[in-house]
Amino acid sequence: MLLAARWLDRQSHSDMTPIVVAKAEISLGQRLSPEMLKLVDWPKNSLPPGIYSTTEELDGRVLRGGLQIGRAHV
């Protein structure tokens, strides 16, 4: 049973990919910095459109709308 549990755990992690989400609510017009964002694992087969995979990709960008905690769309 332990081997099966380990195998399932590895399988579930292999189907995931990191995406960037907000650590806290971010208001319209704020300039983003990596400290405002975090990476979370997301299922590869259900990635939302317009996601980013590194916080550096968003460094210095200005929000055109608010961003809620855990949201991935910028």
Side-chain angles (χ1 to χ4, degrees):
M1 187 179 309
L2 180 60
L3 291 175
R6 286 183 182 168
W7 181 82
L8 285 172
D9 186 51
R10 279 195 302 267
Q11 293 301 314
S12 66
H13 286 102
S14 67
D15 292 337
M16 305 293 270
T17 190
I19 67 168
V20 178
V21 299
K23 280 186 184 178
E25 291 200 22
I26 306 171
S27 301
L28 163 77
Q30 280 193 282
R31 188 170 303 277
L32 295 174
S33 68
E35 296 79 29
M36 302 166 111
L37 308 165
K38 67 178 180 178
L39 292 174
V40 297
D41 285 331
W42 198 272
K44 287 181 183 176
N45 61 355
S46 66
L47 290 172
I51 58 100
Y52 293 88
S53 57
T54 67
T55 57
E56 289 79 19
E57 291 176 279
L58 297 168
D59 191 18
R61 289 190 172 210
V62 177
L63 284 181
R64 292 185 294 179
L67 196 57
Q68 296 173 341
I69 297 172
R71 292 288 306 235
H73 300 285
V74 175

